[in-house]
Amino acid sequence: HDVLCENAKTRTTMLQMDFADGKADNIKMSSTSMADVPEGGEEDTEAPDFPVVDDLVQSELMSMEPMERLEAIQQLYDQAIGESGPDGDVEEMGVNMEEDMKDTAWFQCDVQNLRILRAITLDGQGKSDQAMEEWEECVKFAETKLPPLDENGIAMRVQAALCARCAGKMDLAKKNAEAALISHNILFGGGVERFRRRYHREVQLTLRRDTGSFEAGGFAALDELWPVQMG
């Protein structure tokens, strides 16, 4: 459903995917379908047929060292929004989602996935303030580009809350935590108890560094942001 925010032409192209053989080339950078070849006979190389930043690409990026990963993410991001220079020069990843996605060369979900990977990497380096900017854009994408009350929006809110907590921005952390719980309640019900059961594993992921006596994740974060008596 990540492609529902794309234009009609792109969504129609996705209908050509053959889910039976499992051999779709999701990483190809130009169309090989005759239906997509312009009348002049030259292939349309402006955009990929399918999302580029799939599970395989994400796994490969996450296998890199953090600094190498950030550089690779930046290069892919630059290609995704169509700003790569003739010599491969890139501009620093921006934090304005609407501006970056205005003329997206790849799929909008590619841009979102790259932002998530960048946020995770910055979080892992202890750069919570920078990571927070990325998580906020991820939240904005999920809540404005995906269907209403999409569960991805809850997941982004959870990570934004945890990141803000690490950055010492407790008001922002609690705001995101409350928004995540409200959306979860509307979708699934069960109050904070069901929310805690559903998201306790995500909260305990070691995405962030502990600082001194501060526990970045785990039950401490769960109890602080989503206490049992909440909601």
Side-chain angles (χ1 to χ4, degrees):
H1 73 290
D2 289 351
V3 301
L4 293 177
C5 59
E6 306 295 338
N7 59 46
K9 179 182 177 182
T10 301
R11 295 197 306 271
T12 301
T13 300
M14 291 294 293
L15 296 176
Q16 300 176 24
M17 289 185 69
D18 183 356
F19 294 97
D21 61 12
K23 297 179 181 179
D25 184 5
N26 288 353
I27 310 178
K28 62 182 177 180
M29 299 307 300
S30 62
S31 170
T32 55
S33 169
M34 291 303 296
D36 296 324
V37 177
E39 292 183 2
E42 296 181 0
E43 284 191 331
D44 179 8
T45 59
E46 293 182 357
D49 292 337
F50 308 115
V52 177
V53 189
D54 59 8
D55 292 345
L56 182 62
V57 173
Q58 292 179 54
S59 295
E60 185 175 351
L61 286 168
M62 290 305 295
S63 70
M64 299 177 180
E65 293 296 322
M67 294 306 299
E68 181 187 7
R69 186 191 313 148
L70 285 175
E71 183 178 351
I73 289 171
Q74 181 64 60
Q75 292 174 349
L76 290 172
Y77 185 92
D78 194 72
Q79 294 178 54
I81 63 174
E83 290 188 357
S84 181
D87 298 321
D89 295 335
V90 298
E91 296 294 333
E92 183 66 19
M93 182 182 287
V95 294
N96 188 321
M97 180 190 71
E98 293 297 334
E99 185 64 27
D100 286 350
M101 292 188 174
K102 185 170 59 178
D103 298 308
T104 305
W106 291 0
F107 284 69
Q108 294 186 51
C109 61
D110 287 326
V111 177
Q112 172 75 344
N113 286 333
L114 289 170
R115 280 197 179 280
I116 292 172
L117 293 176
R118 178 174 164 85
I120 290 172
T121 304
L122 291 170
D123 260 333
Q125 293 180 316
K127 299 176 180 178
S128 300
D129 287 332
Q130 294 179 48
M132 192 65 222
E133 294 179 346
E134 301 297 338
W135 287 122
E136 287 179 331
E137 290 300 314
C138 291
V139 168
K140 187 186 298 183
F141 175 90
E143 295 185 351
T144 61
K145 300 292 185 179
L146 299 180
L149 293 175
D150 189 276
E151 191 174 3
N152 281 298
I154 303 174
M156 294 301 100
R157 285 283 189 184
V158 167
Q159 294 305 323
L162 294 170
C163 180
R165 178 176 175 271
C166 278
K169 301 176 180 179
M170 286 307 300
D171 288 343
L172 184 57
K174 290 179 179 179
K175 177 183 176 181
N176 280 288
E178 183 178 8
L181 179 59
I182 290 172
S183 296
H184 185 271
N185 240 348
I186 294 173
L187 279 172
F188 307 109
V192 69
E193 292 84 2
R194 176 173 286 184
F195 180 93
R196 286 169 62 97
R197 289 197 300 270
R198 189 178 184 93
Y199 281 97
H200 75 276
R201 288 191 178 90
E202 284 85 343
V203 173
Q204 294 182 72
L205 291 174
T206 55
L207 300 181
R208 299 166 181 88
R209 293 181 179 178
D210 295 342
T211 55
S213 60
F214 177 79
E215 186 179 355
F219 287 106
L222 194 66
D223 290 337
E224 190 171 354
L225 294 175
W226 297 280
V228 175
Q229 66 270 25
M230 182 181 182

XYZ file of all heavy atoms in Angstrom, residues 107-199:
727
model
N 10.154 6.371 -6.296
C 8.903 6.313 -5.561
C 9.021 7.104 -4.257
O 10.095 7.175 -3.659
C 8.540 4.857 -5.245
C 7.994 4.106 -6.421
C 8.791 3.774 -7.501
C 6.654 3.730 -6.449
C 8.286 3.082 -8.589
C 6.136 3.032 -7.531
C 6.949 2.715 -8.607
N 7.912 7.674 -3.814
C 7.929 8.425 -2.560
C 8.259 7.522 -1.374
O 8.880 7.958 -0.404
C 6.589 9.127 -2.341
C 6.322 10.219 -3.372
C 5.068 11.000 -3.071
O 4.876 11.484 -1.965
N 4.207 11.128 -4.060
N 7.867 6.251 -1.454
C 8.210 5.324 -0.371
C 9.713 5.062 -0.326
O 10.250 4.706 0.724
C 7.432 4.021 -0.500
S 7.738 3.083 -2.012
N 10.420 5.229 -1.460
C 11.875 5.115 -1.453
C 12.482 6.218 -0.589
O 13.389 5.977 0.212
C 12.442 5.224 -2.876
C 12.175 3.987 -3.714
O 12.158 2.880 -3.156
O 11.992 4.136 -4.937
N 11.987 7.433 -0.779
C 12.465 8.565 0.018
C 12.185 8.322 1.502
O 13.036 8.559 2.364
C 11.793 9.872 -0.451
C 12.222 11.049 0.423
C 12.142 10.168 -1.912
N 10.986 7.828 1.796
C 10.622 7.541 3.187
C 11.529 6.472 3.787
O 12.018 6.622 4.924
C 9.158 7.092 3.264
C 8.695 6.590 4.620
C 8.481 7.681 5.649
O 8.947 8.800 5.464
N 7.776 7.365 6.713
N 11.772 5.392 3.062
C 12.613 4.321 3.590
C 14.043 4.793 3.834
O 14.693 4.385 4.801
C 12.609 3.126 2.635
C 11.304 2.355 2.686
O 10.606 2.356 3.696
N 10.955 1.694 1.587
N 14.553 5.655 2.960
C 15.898 6.197 3.153
C 15.947 7.101 4.377
O 16.932 7.103 5.124
C 16.356 6.953 1.907
C 16.661 6.074 0.690
C 16.870 6.929 -0.556
C 17.888 5.195 0.937
N 14.890 7.858 4.596
C 14.828 8.708 5.788
C 14.829 7.856 7.059
O 15.501 8.180 8.036
C 13.573 9.578 5.757
C 13.700 10.813 4.877
C 12.604 11.815 5.213
N 12.730 13.017 4.405
C 13.577 14.002 4.643
N 14.408 13.912 5.662
N 13.625 15.060 3.863
N 14.075 6.776 7.041
C 14.029 5.889 8.205
C 15.416 5.313 8.495
O 15.869 5.295 9.646
C 13.005 4.758 7.985
C 11.583 5.328 7.961
C 13.136 3.693 9.068
C 10.518 4.323 7.562
N 16.098 4.849 7.460
C 17.432 4.285 7.642
C 18.408 5.341 8.151
O 19.273 5.051 8.983
C 17.938 3.697 6.322
C 17.193 2.467 5.802
C 17.750 2.050 4.446
C 17.286 1.313 6.788
N 18.280 6.555 7.649
C 19.146 7.639 8.119
C 18.851 7.949 9.590
O 19.771 8.130 10.394
C 18.950 8.890 7.265
C 19.779 10.089 7.713
C 19.640 11.236 6.721
N 20.089 12.494 7.285
C 21.350 12.922 7.296
N 22.292 12.160 6.757
N 21.675 14.089 7.820
N 17.575 7.991 9.955
C 17.203 8.262 11.345
C 17.751 7.185 12.279
O 18.295 7.487 13.350
C 15.682 8.355 11.463
N 17.614 5.920 11.875
C 18.117 4.810 12.686
C 19.632 4.931 12.866
O 20.170 4.726 13.963
C 17.764 3.463 12.028
C 16.248 3.205 12.122
C 18.532 2.316 12.681
C 15.785 2.003 11.332
N 20.325 5.272 11.786
C 21.783 5.385 11.843
C 22.216 6.527 12.755
O 23.121 6.379 13.585
C 22.357 5.593 10.432
O 21.924 4.527 9.575
C 23.884 5.607 10.457
N 21.579 7.682 12.616
C 21.911 8.821 13.466
C 21.599 8.524 14.927
O 22.361 8.897 15.825
C 21.139 10.058 12.993
C 21.573 10.627 11.640
C 20.578 11.686 11.160
C 22.982 11.225 11.723
N 20.480 7.839 15.170
C 20.143 7.429 16.530
C 21.239 6.544 17.111
O 21.639 6.699 18.272
C 18.812 6.665 16.537
C 17.640 7.539 16.966
O 17.866 8.507 17.718
O 16.507 7.241 16.559
N 21.704 5.601 16.302
C 22.741 4.688 16.769
C 24.051 5.377 17.072
O 24.855 4.886 17.871
N 24.287 6.534 16.444
C 25.501 7.311 16.696
C 25.337 8.270 17.866
O 26.268 8.997 18.207
C 25.877 8.109 15.444
C 26.313 7.256 14.271
C 26.671 8.095 13.056
O 25.961 9.034 12.702
N 27.784 7.773 12.413
N 24.149 8.279 18.454
C 23.901 9.195 19.562
C 23.562 10.600 19.130
O 23.538 11.522 19.955
N 23.263 10.795 17.846
C 22.924 12.131 17.322
C 21.402 12.290 17.311
O 20.759 12.367 16.267
C 23.499 12.300 15.919
C 25.029 12.188 15.881
C 25.559 12.275 14.460
C 27.074 12.170 14.433
N 27.618 12.202 13.042
N 20.858 12.357 18.508
C 19.402 12.326 18.655
C 18.719 13.544 18.040
O 17.626 13.429 17.490
C 19.027 12.224 20.134
O 19.558 11.054 20.707
N 19.334 14.711 18.145
C 18.710 15.916 17.600
C 18.557 15.814 16.086
O 17.513 16.163 15.527
C 19.529 17.159 17.961
C 19.394 17.524 19.431
O 18.341 17.200 20.020
O 20.335 18.120 19.992
N 19.610 15.345 15.412
C 19.533 15.175 13.961
C 18.543 14.077 13.593
O 17.787 14.196 12.633
C 20.910 14.865 13.388
C 21.916 15.999 13.517
C 23.263 15.621 12.944
O 23.361 15.099 11.827
N 24.323 15.874 13.703
N 18.587 12.992 14.351
C 17.670 11.881 14.088
C 16.226 12.328 14.267
O 15.331 11.907 13.524
C 17.980 10.709 15.013
N 15.988 13.195 15.253
C 14.622 13.657 15.527
C 14.036 14.378 14.335
O 12.847 14.239 14.026
C 14.638 14.580 16.757
C 13.255 14.890 17.294
S 12.450 13.406 17.941
C 10.779 13.616 17.324
N 14.845 15.155 13.634
C 14.373 15.850 12.437
C 13.892 14.856 11.390
O 12.876 15.078 10.722
C 15.487 16.731 11.859
C 15.889 17.901 12.756
C 16.999 18.722 12.153
O 17.638 18.243 11.181
O 17.244 19.843 12.629
N 14.634 13.755 11.269
C 14.258 12.737 10.285
C 12.982 12.013 10.709
O 12.089 11.775 9.896
C 15.395 11.734 10.099
C 16.711 12.340 9.631
C 16.602 12.970 8.250
O 15.689 12.613 7.483
O 17.442 13.843 7.953
N 12.888 11.656 11.996
C 11.681 10.962 12.469
C 10.444 11.837 12.309
O 9.358 11.333 11.980
C 11.842 10.532 13.930
C 12.762 9.378 14.158
C 13.877 9.348 14.948
C 12.665 8.064 13.586
N 14.471 8.111 14.894
C 13.747 7.300 14.069
C 11.762 7.461 12.706
C 13.948 5.968 13.710
C 11.959 6.132 12.343
C 13.035 5.399 12.838
N 10.583 13.129 12.526
C 9.441 14.020 12.365
C 8.964 14.042 10.912
O 7.757 14.089 10.638
C 9.804 15.430 12.831
C 9.919 15.545 14.343
C 10.306 16.934 14.806
O 11.009 17.646 14.043
O 9.921 17.325 15.923
N 9.904 14.001 9.972
C 9.526 13.947 8.561
C 8.896 12.596 8.212
O 7.982 12.520 7.395
C 10.747 14.216 7.665
C 11.235 15.650 7.716
C 10.161 16.631 7.263
O 9.513 16.387 6.232
O 9.977 17.650 7.954
N 9.385 11.543 8.850
C 8.807 10.212 8.638
C 7.366 10.170 9.138
O 6.484 9.576 8.506
C 9.639 9.149 9.353
S 11.269 8.871 8.625
N 7.123 10.787 10.295
C 5.766 10.884 10.830
C 4.880 11.660 9.866
O 3.746 11.250 9.563
C 5.772 11.563 12.218
C 4.355 11.937 12.644
C 6.404 10.647 13.254
N 5.394 12.777 9.366
C 4.617 13.615 8.449
C 4.241 12.844 7.188
O 3.108 12.927 6.702
C 5.417 14.862 8.073
C 4.630 15.876 7.261
C 5.518 17.021 6.781
C 6.105 17.799 7.929
N 6.901 18.953 7.444
N 5.178 12.061 6.660
C 4.895 11.263 5.468
C 3.792 10.255 5.753
O 2.826 10.125 5.000
C 6.152 10.527 5.005
C 5.915 9.585 3.851
C 6.040 10.018 2.540
C 5.559 8.253 4.068
C 5.811 9.156 1.480
C 5.327 7.389 3.015
C 5.457 7.842 1.714
N 3.935 9.513 6.854
C 2.967 8.455 7.175
C 1.573 9.018 7.390
O 0.574 8.372 7.033
C 3.433 7.687 8.405
N 1.492 10.206 7.959
C 0.185 10.756 8.316
C -0.437 11.612 7.218
O -1.611 11.968 7.321
C 0.308 11.546 9.618
C 0.683 10.656 10.800
C 0.692 11.379 12.127
O 0.576 12.628 12.115
O 0.808 10.714 13.172
N 0.330 11.935 6.193
C -0.221 12.749 5.102
C -0.240 12.028 3.760
O -1.040 12.368 2.890
C 0.564 14.068 4.935
O 1.937 13.775 4.609
C 0.517 14.896 6.210
N 0.626 11.037 3.587
C 0.733 10.350 2.299
C 0.083 8.970 2.286
O -0.327 8.487 1.234
C 2.210 10.205 1.896
C 2.960 11.520 1.750
C 2.462 12.321 0.569
C 3.293 13.578 0.358
N 2.824 14.363 -0.806
N 0.023 8.322 3.434
C -0.564 6.992 3.523
C -2.041 7.108 3.910
O -2.503 8.173 4.311
C 0.203 6.147 4.538
C 1.686 5.902 4.219
C 2.327 5.054 5.304
C 1.870 5.274 2.850
N -2.803 6.026 3.793
C -4.222 6.074 4.174
C -4.393 6.513 5.625
O -3.496 6.322 6.454
C -4.685 4.618 3.977
C -3.761 4.064 2.946
C -2.437 4.707 3.208
N -5.541 7.108 5.957
C -5.773 7.577 7.330
C -5.590 6.461 8.355
O -5.989 5.317 8.126
C -7.237 8.053 7.293
C -7.487 8.400 5.851
C -6.674 7.413 5.061
N -4.956 6.821 9.478
C -4.738 5.882 10.582
C -3.959 4.637 10.150
O -4.165 3.544 10.683
C -6.066 5.466 11.223
C -6.822 6.582 11.968
C -8.172 6.073 12.437
C -6.008 7.093 13.149
N -3.068 4.798 9.185
C -2.223 3.674 8.782
C -1.301 3.288 9.944
O -0.786 4.152 10.660
C -1.385 4.070 7.562
C -0.661 2.890 6.952
O 0.434 2.539 7.448
O -1.188 2.316 6.000
N -1.096 1.990 10.129
C -0.302 1.530 11.273
C 1.148 2.005 11.204
O 1.820 2.115 12.223
C -0.347 0.005 11.387
C 0.230 -0.510 12.686
C 0.052 -2.009 12.864
O -0.477 -2.662 11.954
O 0.445 -2.509 13.926
N 1.631 2.297 9.995
C 2.986 2.835 9.878
C 3.134 4.149 10.626
O 4.212 4.468 11.137
C 3.346 3.038 8.406
C 3.747 1.753 7.727
O 4.724 1.115 8.097
N 2.982 1.356 6.730
N 2.047 4.921 10.661
C 2.094 6.176 11.389
C 2.316 5.960 12.874
O 3.041 6.726 13.536
N 1.723 4.905 13.427
C 1.925 4.583 14.838
C 3.383 4.202 15.082
O 4.010 4.671 16.045
C 0.999 3.430 15.270
C -0.467 3.785 15.016
C 1.226 3.082 16.736
C -1.434 2.644 15.283
N 3.928 3.365 14.206
C 5.321 2.937 14.360
C 6.272 4.121 14.304
O 7.249 4.195 15.076
C 5.670 1.920 13.273
N 6.002 5.078 13.404
C 6.858 6.261 13.304
C 6.733 7.124 14.555
O 7.714 7.690 15.047
C 6.490 7.079 12.067
C 6.765 6.379 10.726
S 8.481 5.915 10.457
C 8.430 4.152 10.865
N 5.516 7.248 15.083
C 5.306 8.019 16.311
C 6.055 7.388 17.489
O 6.618 8.087 18.335
C 3.813 8.103 16.627
C 3.034 9.055 15.757
C 3.244 10.498 16.157
N 2.338 11.395 15.445
C 2.369 12.720 15.566
N 3.254 13.286 16.382
N 1.538 13.471 14.890
N 6.048 6.068 17.564
C 6.756 5.372 18.639
C 8.246 5.699 18.586
O 8.863 6.048 19.605
C 6.527 3.850 18.543
C 7.498 3.092 19.454
C 5.083 3.498 18.900
N 8.833 5.601 17.394
C 10.265 5.886 17.272
C 10.564 7.359 17.521
O 11.596 7.698 18.104
C 10.769 5.451 15.891
C 10.721 3.957 15.656
C 11.464 3.161 16.716
O 12.515 3.582 17.208
N 10.923 2.005 17.083
N 9.672 8.238 17.085
C 9.865 9.667 17.344
C 9.820 9.954 18.841
O 10.599 10.771 19.361
C 8.796 10.477 16.613
N 8.921 9.278 19.548
C 8.827 9.460 20.995
C 10.107 8.995 21.689
O 10.645 9.678 22.576
C 7.623 8.694 21.536
N 10.616 7.836 21.290
C 11.826 7.304 21.904
C 13.044 8.178 21.602
O 13.900 8.404 22.459
C 12.073 5.877 21.412
C 11.028 4.842 21.848
C 11.238 3.523 21.106
C 11.068 4.619 23.351
N 13.097 8.686 20.376
C 14.215 9.552 19.981
C 14.169 10.861 20.765
O 15.194 11.337 21.271
C 14.155 9.817 18.489
S 15.485 10.890 17.872
N 12.977 11.466 20.867
C 12.837 12.721 21.611
C 13.214 12.533 23.073
O 13.825 13.408 23.696
C 11.402 13.239 21.484
N 12.863 11.383 23.613
C 13.231 11.078 25.002
C 14.740 11.048 25.159
O 15.288 11.593 26.130
C 12.617 9.739 25.415
C 12.969 9.282 26.827
C 12.220 7.996 27.171
N 12.614 7.458 28.471
C 13.615 6.611 28.644
N 14.317 6.184 27.606
N 13.904 6.174 29.867
N 15.430 10.420 24.208
C 16.895 10.378 24.264
C 17.505 11.768 24.123
O 18.569 12.045 24.676
C 17.433 9.473 23.157
S 17.403 7.722 23.567
N 16.824 12.626 23.358
C 17.321 13.993 23.152
C 16.980 14.907 24.320
O 17.347 16.080 24.325
C 16.741 14.559 21.863
N 16.277 14.366 25.320
C 15.910 15.163 26.471
C 14.726 16.077 26.237
O 14.472 17.001 27.012
N 13.969 15.811 25.170
C 12.797 16.632 24.838
C 11.542 15.886 25.270
O 10.804 15.340 24.453
C 12.774 16.926 23.333
C 14.023 17.650 22.841
C 14.011 17.835 21.330
C 15.255 18.560 20.853
N 15.279 18.736 19.369
N 11.292 15.887 26.582
C 10.231 15.051 27.116
C 8.836 15.507 26.695
O 7.940 14.672 26.522
C 10.333 14.985 28.633
C 11.480 14.118 29.131
S 11.456 12.434 28.412
C 9.864 11.833 28.977
N 8.637 16.806 26.538
C 7.331 17.278 26.081
C 7.019 16.726 24.698
O 5.900 16.259 24.430
C 7.281 18.805 26.052
C 7.234 19.416 27.448
O 6.927 18.674 28.393
O 7.504 20.625 27.579
N 8.017 16.765 23.811
C 7.843 16.235 22.457
C 7.691 14.716 22.491
O 6.898 14.138 21.737
C 9.045 16.629 21.589
C 8.999 16.247 20.113
C 7.758 16.828 19.432
C 10.262 16.718 19.400
N 8.452 14.073 23.368
C 8.363 12.616 23.493
C 6.963 12.190 23.928
O 6.362 11.275 23.353
C 9.401 12.115 24.494
N 6.416 12.868 24.926
C 5.086 12.518 25.422
C 3.998 12.856 24.400
O 2.983 12.147 24.308
C 4.834 13.230 26.745
C 5.699 12.680 27.880
C 5.448 13.409 29.198
C 6.310 12.812 30.312
N 6.114 13.516 31.605
N 4.208 13.916 23.641
C 3.254 14.272 22.586
C 3.168 13.155 21.554
O 2.069 12.744 21.139
C 3.674 15.577 21.917
C 2.789 15.991 20.750
C 3.325 17.257 20.088
C 2.496 17.610 18.845
N 3.018 18.833 18.179
N 4.316 12.648 21.103
C 4.331 11.555 20.126
C 3.815 10.259 20.731
O 3.113 9.493 20.062
C 5.751 11.357 19.586
C 6.122 12.354 18.517
O 5.630 12.286 17.390
N 6.977 13.303 18.846
N 4.155 10.024 21.990
C 3.689 8.807 22.662
C 2.169 8.805 22.769
O 1.510 7.783 22.514
C 4.316 8.707 24.046
N 1.598 9.941 23.122
C 0.148 10.036 23.253
C -0.533 9.881 21.894
O -1.554 9.191 21.783
C -0.236 11.376 23.876
C -1.731 11.526 24.117
C -2.095 12.842 24.769
O -1.209 13.719 24.900
O -3.272 13.001 25.147
N 0.042 10.495 20.857
C -0.534 10.388 19.509
C -0.511 8.941 19.031
O -1.463 8.468 18.394
C 0.228 11.288 18.538
N 0.576 8.229 19.327
C 0.672 6.821 18.934
C -0.396 5.994 19.636
O -1.051 5.134 19.016
C 2.063 6.281 19.275
N -0.593 6.235 20.924
C -1.580 5.479 21.694
C -2.999 5.764 21.218
O -3.820 4.843 21.089
C -1.452 5.814 23.176
C -2.445 5.122 24.119
C -2.328 3.605 24.014
C -2.227 5.585 25.556
N -3.303 7.037 20.922
C -4.642 7.401 20.452
C -4.960 6.695 19.136
O -6.035 6.113 18.965
C -4.755 8.929 20.295
C -4.763 9.612 21.669
C -6.028 9.305 19.521
C -4.690 11.128 21.614
N -4.019 6.734 18.188
C -4.234 6.079 16.896
C -4.392 4.578 17.067
O -5.243 3.944 16.425
C -3.067 6.383 15.943
O -2.997 7.761 15.636
N -3.559 3.983 17.926
C -3.636 2.548 18.171
C -4.982 2.174 18.782
O -5.578 1.146 18.428
C -2.496 2.129 19.097
C -2.401 0.660 19.319
N -3.081 0.006 20.328
C -1.728 -0.316 18.630
C -2.809 -1.281 20.274
N -1.997 -1.511 19.260
N -5.482 3.015 19.664
C -6.766 2.760 20.310
C -7.906 2.799 19.302
O -8.835 1.995 19.362
C -7.022 3.793 21.410
C -7.175 3.153 22.773
O -7.311 1.942 22.891
N -7.152 3.970 23.807
N -7.830 3.754 18.380
C -8.876 3.865 17.360
C -8.873 2.639 16.450
O -9.922 2.093 16.089
C -8.683 5.151 16.525
C -8.898 6.388 17.405
C -9.648 5.180 15.339
C -8.555 7.689 16.713
N -7.681 2.180 16.105
C -7.553 1.044 15.185
C -7.848 -0.297 15.855
O -8.555 -1.135 15.284
C -6.139 1.006 14.602
C -5.841 1.934 13.427
C -4.352 1.914 13.110
C -6.644 1.537 12.200
N -7.302 -0.504 17.050
C -7.325 -1.836 17.652
C -8.029 -1.900 19.007
O -8.375 -2.995 19.457
C -5.893 -2.360 17.815
C -5.090 -2.326 16.542
C -4.061 -1.411 16.380
C -5.369 -3.202 15.503
C -3.313 -1.376 15.208
C -4.630 -3.163 14.329
C -3.605 -2.253 14.177
N -8.199 -0.754 19.656
C -8.801 -0.769 20.981
C -7.870 -1.377 22.013
O -6.700 -1.661 21.754
N -8.378 -1.595 23.221
C -7.603 -2.280 24.252
C -6.813 -1.379 25.158
O -6.161 -1.865 26.100
N -6.815 -0.061 24.868
C -6.111 0.869 25.745
C -4.609 0.669 25.780
O -4.011 0.028 24.910
N -3.994 1.207 26.824
C -2.543 1.177 26.927
C -2.020 -0.237 27.154
O -0.889 -0.564 26.764
C -2.061 2.132 28.052
C -2.447 1.601 29.428
C -0.567 2.367 27.976
N -2.821 -1.099 27.754
C -2.360 -2.471 28.001
C -2.086 -3.204 26.690
O -1.048 -3.848 26.536
C -3.400 -3.244 28.829
C -3.552 -2.767 30.256
C -4.497 -1.582 30.387
O -5.067 -1.159 29.339
O -4.666 -1.084 31.502
N -3.018 -3.116 25.758
C -2.791 -3.774 24.458
C -1.649 -3.099 23.701
O -0.839 -3.776 23.051
C -4.064 -3.746 23.621
C -3.865 -4.316 22.215
C -5.154 -4.452 21.440
N -5.936 -5.570 21.944
C -7.093 -5.965 21.393
N -7.579 -5.321 20.349
N -7.748 -6.991 21.898
N -1.576 -1.779 23.780
C -0.477 -1.060 23.124
C 0.867 -1.555 23.642
O 1.793 -1.819 22.871
C -0.617 0.449 23.358
C 0.473 1.260 22.715
C 0.299 1.786 21.448
C 1.679 1.498 23.376
C 1.310 2.529 20.840
C 2.688 2.242 22.784
C 2.500 2.757 21.518
N 1.000 -1.671 24.938
C 2.263 -2.118 25.533
C 2.608 -3.534 25.090
O 3.772 -3.845 24.809
C 2.188 -2.048 27.062
C 2.261 -0.627 27.621
C 1.903 -0.605 29.102
N 2.834 -1.407 29.897
C 3.889 -0.916 30.553
N 4.140 0.378 30.517
N 4.661 -1.703 31.263
N 1.616 -4.412 25.020
C 1.870 -5.784 24.557
C 2.312 -5.788 23.095
O 3.178 -6.578 22.709
C 0.621 -6.646 24.730
C 0.270 -6.985 26.168
C -0.699 -8.162 26.244
N -1.950 -7.877 25.547
C -3.008 -7.324 26.111
N -2.960 -6.948 27.397
N -4.117 -7.132 25.426
N 1.720 -4.914 22.316
C 1.987 -4.918 20.879
C 3.347 -4.305 20.538
O 4.024 -4.740 19.610
C 0.882 -4.153 20.148
C 0.928 -4.280 18.636
C -0.232 -3.528 17.988
N -0.274 -3.701 16.552
C -0.968 -4.633 15.926
N -1.689 -5.485 16.624
N -0.955 -4.718 14.606
N 3.755 -3.287 21.294
C 4.958 -2.539 20.918
C 6.138 -2.710 21.877
O 7.158 -2.043 21.702
C 4.622 -1.040 20.794
C 3.953 -0.722 19.482
C 2.568 -0.636 19.396
C 4.692 -0.537 18.312
C 1.944 -0.372 18.186
C 4.085 -0.266 17.108
C 2.707 -0.195 17.047
O 2.098 0.060 15.838
